[in-house]
Amino acid sequence: MHAVEVNFDGLVGPTHNYAGLSYGNVASLSHASSHSNPKEAVLQGLEKMKAMHELGLEQGIFAPHARPDINVLKRLGFTGSDSQIIEKAFKADPILLRACYSASAMWTANAGTISPSVDTLDGKVHFTAANLNNKFHRSLEPVTTTALLKAMFNDERYFSHHTHLPDQGFFGDEGAANHNRLCDSHADTGLEIFVFGASSFNSALPKPVKFPARQSLEASQAIARLHQLKPENQLFIQQNPDVIDQGVFHNDVIAVANGNVLLCHEQAFLHQADTLKQIKQAYLGNKPLHIIEVPTNKVSITDAVGSYLFNSQLITLSDDSMMLVAPKECQRNQAVHDYIQEMILADNPVQQVRFFDLRQSMQNGGGPACLRLRVALNTDELAAVNPGVRFSEEKYTELVSWANKHYRDSLSSDDFADPMLLTESYQALDELTSLLNLGSVYPFQQE
Ligand SMILES: NCCC[C@H](NC(=O)CCC(=O)O)C(=O)O
């Protein structure tokens, strides 16, 4: 049966801010306490969705989470009405309050891992939300992510949802950012490549020394079991710990795959030559596999992390050629820009590039690929997706006016003391659940 890949982009939430919460993520740390512009952020994301839709791709929308997370503040001992809780938390621990206001669920490449039905033994599409337990602000996400995934993919005939992995670092799971799939087409069984940062149980494997490895081998193995992947459909490879220490906190900051193409830096993986050999041997497709390995003397790790070249989306167009959907930062970096031009002229399926201004997300370490969750679906499965979360020209117009009505154009540290921010945010999200036909997914709608 015909199948397509749908990109579900995270809609940036109304409290998007820069709190410097992600140790190991260079952009997040360097923009700590800068002013953010939530309205510009959501509109930049919507522009990318619209452009993908106009290119003929199936586009979906992934709703933001309710912020601030009042329940976690209560769990941490703050009492009283919502506005009293905000006031007390702001005085006692402003950074904690900002973490509870973080819009980090916008990076849906970290929402979960998805295996398409052609890869699974029971022929269903499998979903597991990521526990994101390496960072406090992100550990708040999996419960709502699961609720959203169930509201979006609500048909047991086709979709199987799993509980996120145990909330403990040994099973650190950061979702699809560390998961790539190589295949001839989305209708064909693919090779699911799980890239882990370190092993929790096997101390013989190397670890980064400075920054944390967020994805554990044991988490990746558990996902492969839960998703009932066939043995020939799975491969576990280790990220190069040296580049984690240089700011490559997820694999999608150093590699991206699409169809029969793997674009990666030459320092992306541990024992890279052997790892690439393993990938070639395990590859299941009939089309030739293109591994585009970017050398350090053309693009340094610093340039890769600064420009987010590898956090581009690689998309397949209707004529079967591919386009690189890159952040504008790649255009500004001469070495990266030159490399992209060279790649486009070389003999491989990537023939075009388009640059997008995603500065608001980039300043927190999230490029085009971070903003989207890929879900490959056949025709029947696509028809079973909640139509409210499928992107269209009309939906775009509705969402732009919704954002213009509800979002602020500046947020700074002091604004988090303002209880009106909670009221505005919850009102916006309450309206959004009707726009996207999600039902009462948020805890504040269930009280
Ligand atoms: N896939 C991109 C994820 C970026 C995300 N940044 C953040 O959470 C920064 C939030 C802040 O610092 O305000 C992260 O590091 O997990």
Side-chain angles (χ1 to χ4, degrees):
M1 201 186 303
H2 179 68
V4 291
E5 179 181 271
V6 191
N7 284 282
F8 287 86
D9 275 44
L11 196 63
V12 180
T15 63
H16 162 65
N17 74 94
Y18 302 120
L21 302 170
S22 278
Y23 183 64
N25 168 344
V26 177
S28 152
L29 294 193
S30 62
H31 290 95
S33 301
S34 316
H35 282 231
S36 64
N37 183 336
K39 188 182 286 185
E40 186 177 69
V42 68
L43 295 175
Q44 286 176 342
L46 281 163
E47 277 313 301
K48 172 164 89 82
M49 294 188 225
K50 181 164 172 272
M52 297 299 103
H53 175 72
E54 285 170 357
L55 285 168
L57 271 69
E58 278 295 338
Q59 182 65 51
I61 305 148
F62 209 123
H65 291 199
R67 293 289 178 267
D69 187 331
I70 282 290
N71 287 335
V72 82
L73 288 170
K74 286 185 183 162
R75 207 173 143 194
L76 294 171
F78 294 101
T79 53
S81 63
D82 287 354
S83 47
Q84 285 166 335
I85 289 174
I86 299 284
E87 194 188 326
K88 288 177 190 171
F90 184 76
K91 280 198 190 118
D93 193 343
I95 283 291
L96 168 66
L97 181 63
R98 287 183 79 157
C100 296
Y101 260 112
S102 177
S104 56
M106 66 203 261
W107 299 294
T108 52
N110 309 120
T113 306
I114 321 301
S115 295
S117 56
V118 273
D119 293 358
T120 65
L121 281 170
D122 65 355
K124 290 190 181 186
V125 186
H126 286 251
F127 300 81
T128 305
N131 59 24
L132 292 163
N133 63 28
N134 193 263
K135 305 281 176 252
F136 167 70
H137 69 294
R138 302 223 61 182
S139 73
L140 309 178
E141 296 175 30
V143 172
T144 298
T145 298
T146 303
L148 284 165
L149 286 169
K150 287 183 174 169
M152 295 156 76
F153 303 95
N154 180 15
D155 189 330
E156 286 178 7
R157 283 174 303 164
Y158 303 112
F159 307 126
S160 175
H161 295 274
H162 305 280
T163 307
H164 63 276
L165 300 183
D167 294 297
Q168 211 281 337
F170 269 36
F171 292 98
D173 178 21
E174 304 266 326
N178 300 313
H179 178 245
N180 279 306
R181 192 168 172 270
L182 290 169
C183 55
D184 274 350
S185 84
H186 296 297
D188 298 301
T189 300
L191 175 66
E192 298 200 15
I193 304 176
F194 294 83
V195 188
F196 61 94
S199 166
S200 305
F201 296 121
N202 180 356
S203 55
L205 293 177
K207 290 181 169 34
V209 291
K210 188 173 166 203
F211 292 144
R214 298 207 209 173
Q215 181 81 34
S216 81
L217 168 62
E218 291 73 11
S220 298
Q221 289 169 330
I223 301 281
R225 277 190 297 272
L226 286 165
H227 290 197
Q228 302 184 25
L229 298 184
K230 301 163 200 161
E232 67 273 22
N233 288 151
Q234 46 183 297
L235 191 64
F236 302 93
I237 62 179
Q238 185 164 1
Q239 210 188 327
N240 177 357
D242 294 346
V243 298
I244 296 180
D245 280 338
Q246 292 170 68
V248 182
F249 57 97
H250 287 143
N251 172 66
D252 69 359
V253 179
I254 197 89
V256 55
N258 178 53
N260 60 336
V261 174
L262 172 65
L263 171 66
C264 63
H265 194 275
E266 74 170 348
Q267 296 187 58
F269 309 115
L270 184 68
H271 310 311
Q272 182 129 332
D274 286 345
T275 299
L276 296 183
K277 223 182 267 167
Q278 262 183 292
I279 294 176
K280 283 180 197 151
Q281 273 162 9
Y283 178 64
L284 301 160
N286 295 314
K287 287 188 186 169
L289 174 65
H290 292 267
I291 298 183
I292 308 175
E293 216 181 340
V294 183
T296 308
N297 64 14
K298 293 201 170 142
V299 176
S300 65
I301 297 296
T302 309
D303 281 345
V305 172
S307 68
Y308 259 39
L309 165 64
F310 298 94
N311 204 261
S312 299
Q313 284 175 245
L314 257 186
I315 57 169
T316 305
L317 304 173
S318 51
D319 65 356
D320 236 21
S321 72
M322 294 190 193
M323 177 192 272
L324 190 77
V325 174
K328 261 209 155 43
E329 284 71 4
C330 291
Q331 203 173 17
R332 290 191 208 111
N333 180 312
Q334 195 61 47
V336 172
H337 190 254
D338 289 350
Y339 182 79
I340 293 174
Q341 300 309 323
E342 183 186 317
M343 174 173 67
I344 285 170
L345 293 174
D347 184 20
N348 65 56
V350 188
Q351 289 176 11
Q352 289 179 60
V353 60
R354 195 126 141 212
F355 299 103
F356 284 84
D357 182 358
L358 295 164
R359 194 174 60 97
Q360 286 292 326
S361 170
M362 286 285 287
Q363 293 189 157
N364 248 342
C370 288
L371 285 163
R372 59 95 170 91
L373 180 66
R374 295 186 273 188
V375 186
L377 299 167
N378 68 30
T379 310
D380 291 347
E381 292 155 358
L382 181 61
V385 173
N386 180 343
V389 295
R390 287 181 65 179
F391 191 89
S392 63
E393 198 63 41
E394 301 80 69
K395 188 103 350 170
Y396 169 79
T397 311
E398 283 172 355
L399 288 171
V400 168
S401 60
W402 167 81
N404 279 324
K405 173 173 156 201
H406 292 287
Y407 279 51
R408 296 191 185 187
D409 54 17
S410 173
L411 273 186
S412 68
S413 1
D414 290 344
D415 295 321
F416 294 91
D418 174 8
M420 274 310 289
L421 186 58
L422 175 147
T423 312
E424 285 167 30
S425 171
Y426 285 9
Q427 263 169 8
L429 296 181
D430 200 36
E431 215 173 280
L432 183 71
T433 49
S434 307
L435 267 173
L436 302 183
N437 185 34
L438 290 170
S440 300
V441 272
Y442 297 122
F444 73 83
Q445 294 174 312
Q446 294 155 12
E447 280 153 10

